[in-house]
Amino acid sequence: MHIQIVFEYAGVALDRLEPATVEATYNLMRQSAGALSLLHNLGVTNFDVKPSSMVYDGAKDLLKFVNMGSAFGCATRTNSPNATVNLDGKIRSGTPAFAPPEMLKMAEGSEVAPSLGMTMPAIDVYCWGMSFYSLLSNRKSEELESEYMKYKLGSEAEYGVFMKLADVNFNSVKTKNATESSMMETIKNLISSSLSYKPKERPEMKEIVGRMRDFERRKKVALRYAQTEAGHHKNFKDLLMMSEQPRKMSSALGEMPEESKGDDVVELKCGHAMAKEYLVNYMLELFLKRQPCEYSCMCSMCREPERLKSVTLNCGCTLTKFGDKVEFSDTDYGKCREGKPRTATDLCILNDYTSFKLATMMLSEYPIENRSPTLMDLLNESIRKENAKDIAWILCSTDLVTVLDITNSKIGDEGAKAIAEAVKINTSLSEIFMGKNNIGNEGARTFGEALKVNTMLTVLDLRENKVGNEGAKIIGEALKANKTLTRLELRGNKIGNEGLIAIGEALKVNSTLARLNIGRNKFGVEGVRAVCDALVSNKGLIKLSLADSSIGTEGAKFFEDALRSNKTMTQLDLSDNKIGDEGVKYISDALKVNSTLTFLLLWNNNIGVEGTRYIDDVLRTNTTLTHLELNGNKIGVEGLKHISEMLRANKTLTKISLSDTKIGVEGAKLIGNILETNSTLKKLEIHGTSIGDEGTRLISEVLETNTTLLQLELRNNNIGVEGARAIGKALNSNATLTHLELNTNKVGDDGARLICEALKTNTTLTQLRLRSNNIGYKGAVAISEMLRVNKTLTLLDLHINNVADDGTKLIAEALKANETLTQLNLRMNNIGIVGAKFIEEALKMNTTIESLDLRENKIAVEGRETLKRITEHRKTKILFH
């Protein structure tokens, strides 16, 4: 199998161009100065600037650096006592005709005088000046070397002779108009200062760029990337790029013309063969070894099971893969860039990328519809490992990243500022998750500024940071202008009344924000009043959470007027607010009028029997609420009676949560009565209510005939073998239940056996959770027997049990035959390397498992690596840590 890699058409080297006008030469060197200035700002020195290393693409009027070999060698060597020592230990002098005196003297073995010194950027400045001089005077490399080398190797006085000769040549340059004549004066000054004998007397590249801007005749070379945060990427030394502005970096990767594309072509473009070992090695590692070929390219032949063995480049070079090694059959660089098919691209990034950054650039060439989930998952996993400033660069450089999740990465305000600056110009990112990052007001301020200009971002998650009133005010102001953000998460910050009032004012005019979470902050009733006042007229907000904000009864009162008037909000979370029975009355009175609210969460609100009476009264006639959560309140059996009566009459509620409400066995009986008469309830949660085996039996008896309930959650209810027996009996006849959760009970091996017996014939249950239930080997026997014949279960959770290696063997054997299970959780089950081997063998045959959790077991590194290799070419995700 063979895939062609198409190299871009880089352009024509400057030393091969016909002599150009002064203005044209000036414009080319202005571009090169901008590129070098940016390079220096990133902490990288080129060391070998010369006309033959710069190519010009006339179609795009764009200059490109191509030969970065010296830069690579020096930039990647750390703590080098001599900046010109390359990786092989040899001293480099660059190209003698363009190299500065100090560099040549070192290469000759001479000592550089302390007064002369060496600074790396100054080397580039000198080479740039010589290149400019070469192009203007029409002198080739050989002429410069033969004419001037002796002066460069001499003393400062001898070097002065060279400068006088250069001045004579300057005066012979012909100009065609007054503009060029004026330009020549600036050019002479620039070149003369750049060619100063002492490095410290040469100007910095950024100074040269500033001086050259006076004569620009067309669009400026954008150095926006460097200017947004000066020095902000100084540690990113493996980056070598041209000076085109970052938002054009995606077009810098471009597309091949349609006529150049074919079924047998994979587009991987590089600006120079110097990048070959990085591009090729990573291509083979990521696209050909780790991932199935069908996910790696647009090649029709890749649908075949064969793996790529050989690659032929369009320049004639070939790559052959031998095991894990790659042999590169080289060819002359000149042949690579001449006489071959041309593709119109502007690739700016050249060589020495980390694999992730190279993959980013490579993947960005793929049309969105061809970017596979497998590769995008790898990208999202990798980006979390980058520091904030590198992430900012990635966001400036490519349109590949659409979702950024760096939750709990501790980037602080500085990191947030870097990313926010990138968000200002990024055109692809739609969702950002930055919770738990120590972001304060300064970071929030920069994001507020970004929201004023960004037109792509729809989700911004800043939960559990340190944003206070000042940060919230800036975000509030931004929301008045922003037209794209639909979700804002500010839960768990330090926002007080002033900040919430600012957000409330924004809600009066903003009509695009649909989800807002501002719970667990520091505001009081005045802040709540501001939000509620805004809700009266707001026409965009759909979901609002003020959970854990201690709004109390007074705050609940403000919601009465808001809910009476609001016509768009469908979900409201007021959990953990101590609104009490009186607060419930205000909410209930509003629901008599409100016709849009469908979800109402009232966890832990000190609601008692009286509160349930208000709920009973309103929900008997309310026809819109579908989801009610009363977890953690003190309603008891008496309160449950009111809920029971309400559910007899209500025809719209589909989910109710009554966990931790102290209802006991008597309450379970009432639940049973509800399930007998109610025909709309789809999901029931009653965790931690102490119903025990007897209460479970009462509910299970009704399940035998119930035809509407889909999900039942009975976590932490002290359910043992007898309760499991009742559940098993219900599953034998129930034909609607799809989800069953029994986590943190005591069903044990015998209980697991009774439930699994029922699942051998049950045809509706798809998810079973038995976490922390004392299930061991005997339970694993029953589970394995069930998995061999069950045709509907897709999720099985056995977290915190003790199936160990022997039980794992049985489950693994069953997986070889099972064709429906997609998620298996065996976390904390005392599984060792032996169990891992059984799983390995099972996964060679099983084709359906997509997620396998093996965290907190005793699987050694060897076992982990084996399992990772097994899953490289399939979608299965295995968790180990």
Side-chain angles (χ1 to χ4, degrees), residues 374-516:
T374 305
L375 290 177
M376 295 307 293
D377 286 346
L378 177 64
L379 173 66
N380 291 331
E381 181 180 341
S382 299
I383 199 171
R384 290 178 61 87
K385 301 173 184 176
E386 303 294 317
N387 65 55
K389 293 180 180 179
D390 285 355
I391 291 174
W393 176 82
I394 291 165
L395 297 179
C396 287
S397 308
T398 177
D399 68 343
L400 184 64
V401 182
T402 57
V403 178
L404 175 64
D405 186 349
I406 50 171
T407 303
N408 199 25
S409 297
K410 306 296 187 292
I411 65 170
D413 279 339
E414 288 303 309
K417 286 165 63 178
I419 293 174
E421 289 295 335
V423 169
K424 289 180 180 179
I425 62 173
N426 179 276
T427 58
S428 64
L429 196 64
S430 61
E431 300 180 14
I432 299 180
F433 298 90
M434 300 176 65
K436 300 180 181 180
N437 268 294
N438 293 329
I439 299 170
N441 285 328
E442 191 60 25
R445 180 186 65 78
T446 53
F447 262 101
E449 293 170 355
L451 288 175
K452 292 178 180 179
V453 296
N454 181 283
T455 59
M456 293 297 294
L457 202 65
T458 61
V459 176
L460 177 60
D461 187 339
L462 294 173
R463 73 181 68 193
E464 296 184 54
N465 282 293
K466 299 177 180 179
V467 179
N469 283 330
E470 293 306 311
K473 286 179 182 179
I474 298 295
I475 291 174
E477 284 301 312
L479 288 177
K480 292 179 180 179
N482 183 279
K483 303 298 182 185
T484 55
L485 198 72
T486 60
R487 177 182 171 190
L488 177 61
E489 297 280 345
L490 292 172
R491 180 178 184 271
N493 280 280
K494 297 183 178 180
I495 301 170
N497 282 330
E498 291 181 26
L500 197 56
I501 289 171
I503 291 173
E505 289 300 311
L507 291 177
K508 291 180 179 179
V509 295
N510 180 291
S511 61
T512 53
L513 192 69
R515 296 176 61 181
L516 175 63

Side-chain angles (χ1 to χ4, degrees), residues 102 105-106 110-119 156 197-201:
E102 67 272 18
K105 290 174 184 290
M106 276 203 143
S110 304
E111 231 179 88
V112 177
S115 61
L116 188 57
M118 276 197 65
T119 62
E156 186 172 2
Y197 185 71
K198 295 180 179 179
K200 293 182 179 179
E201 294 179 0

Side-chain angles (χ1 to χ4, degrees), residues 567-792:
K567 305 298 181 184
T568 56
M569 192 163 62
T570 61
Q571 300 182 41
L572 177 62
D573 186 355
L574 295 178
S575 299
D576 297 285
N577 272 302
K578 302 178 181 178
I579 66 172
D581 291 339
E582 188 177 353
V584 171
K585 182 179 187 302
Y586 293 127
I587 303 295
S588 298
D589 287 345
L591 289 181
K592 292 177 181 179
V593 178
N594 182 282
S595 60
T596 56
L597 200 69
T598 58
F599 279 53
L600 179 60
L601 281 65
L602 296 173
W603 291 38
N604 303 319
N605 264 300
N606 294 334
I607 300 170
V609 176
E610 191 65 19
T612 60
R613 183 177 287 113
Y614 297 131
I615 292 172
D616 176 12
D617 180 48
V618 68
L619 292 188
R620 283 174 182 263
T621 55
N622 179 282
T623 59
T624 55
L625 200 70
T626 62
H627 184 121
L628 176 63
E629 298 191 9
L630 296 172
N631 302 341
N633 285 294
K634 302 175 181 179
I635 65 174
V637 174
E638 290 303 312
L640 185 58
K641 289 179 181 179
H642 291 297
I643 299 297
S644 176
E645 290 301 316
M646 174 270 293
L647 287 173
R648 288 177 185 273
N650 184 280
K651 302 300 180 184
T652 55
L653 209 62
T654 60
K655 176 187 174 180
I656 189 165
S657 296
L658 298 167
S659 301
D660 301 307
T661 51
K662 305 182 184 304
I663 61 174
V665 176
E666 191 175 350
K669 185 176 182 180
L670 289 171
I671 296 289
N673 293 337
I674 292 171
L675 295 178
E676 272 188 316
T677 57
N678 182 282
S679 60
T680 58
L681 206 59
K682 305 295 183 184
K683 183 174 182 179
L684 174 63
E685 294 180 2
I686 45 174
H687 309 311
T689 52
S690 304
I691 63 174
D693 285 341
E694 180 59 19
T696 304
R697 182 186 65 79
L698 293 170
I699 294 173
S700 298
E701 285 178 354
V702 181
L703 283 179
E704 293 181 25
T705 55
N706 179 278
T707 59
T708 56
L709 195 70
L710 301 177
Q711 301 181 42
L712 177 61
E713 299 186 6
L714 300 173
R715 182 193 320 156
N716 190 26
N717 268 298
N718 199 29
I719 300 170
V721 175
E722 292 307 311
R725 188 188 306 279
I727 290 172
K729 185 180 178 185
L731 291 176
N732 278 323
S733 54
N734 181 284
T736 53
L737 198 68
T738 60
H739 293 53
L740 175 61
E741 182 190 325
L742 296 172
N743 293 345
T744 320
N745 282 292
K746 301 176 182 179
V747 303
D749 288 339
D750 290 338
R753 176 178 56 79
L754 292 165
I755 292 171
C756 286
E757 280 297 319
L759 291 181
K760 288 180 180 180
T761 55
N762 180 282
T763 59
T764 55
L765 199 73
T766 59
Q767 295 190 16
L768 175 62
R769 289 178 168 83
L770 294 171
R771 178 180 304 190
S772 187
N773 264 287
N774 300 325
I775 298 171
Y777 175 76
K778 291 182 179 180
V781 171
I783 290 169
S784 66
E785 291 175 353
M786 176 270 294
L787 289 176
R788 289 176 185 273
V789 297
N790 181 280
K791 303 297 182 184
T792 54

Side-chain angles (χ1 to χ4, degrees), residues 284-394:
L284 290 171
E285 179 183 13
L286 172 66
F287 285 73
L288 309 174
K289 188 173 77 172
R290 290 185 176 178
Q291 303 295 341
C293 212
E294 63 186 15
Y295 294 129
S296 65
C297 69
M298 295 172 281
C299 170
S300 62
M301 291 186 293
C302 285
R303 299 189 186 98
E304 301 172 9
E306 295 267 343
R307 309 300 291 168
L308 179 67
K309 299 296 183 184
S310 175
V311 175
T312 300
L313 308 182
N314 72 324
C315 59
C317 302
T318 60
L319 295 164
T320 307
K321 185 182 176 190
F322 298 99
D324 291 330
K325 296 183 179 179
V326 178
E327 180 178 294
F328 191 95
S329 174
D330 208 348
T331 188
D332 180 69
Y333 169 59
K335 292 180 182 177
C336 286
R337 69 177 178 182
E338 292 182 356
K340 299 299 175 183
R342 299 181 176 185
T343 58
T345 66
D346 298 328
L347 184 61
C348 305
I349 309 303
L350 297 179
N351 69 323
D352 194 29
Y353 262 81
T354 62
S355 59
F356 168 63
K357 297 175 187 67
L358 180 56
T360 300
M361 306 314 292
M362 290 167 64
L363 281 170
S364 64
E365 295 187 344
Y366 280 73
I368 293 174
E369 62 270 19
N370 288 352
R371 295 174 185 172
S372 74
T374 305
L375 290 177
M376 295 307 293
D377 286 346
L378 177 64
L379 173 66
N380 291 331
E381 181 180 341
S382 299
I383 199 171
R384 290 178 61 87
K385 301 173 184 176
E386 303 294 317
N387 65 55
K389 293 180 180 179
D390 285 355
I391 291 174
W393 176 82
I394 291 165

Side-chain angles (χ1 to χ4, degrees), residues 836-861:
K837 290 186 181 297
F838 293 134
I839 293 173
E840 173 192 345
E841 292 302 315
L843 292 179
K844 290 179 181 178
M845 298 178 64
N846 178 283
T847 59
T848 57
I849 290 291
E850 297 176 0
S851 175
L852 176 59
D853 193 339
L854 294 173
R855 288 177 291 178
E856 297 179 81
N857 280 294
K858 300 178 181 180
I859 302 172
V861 174

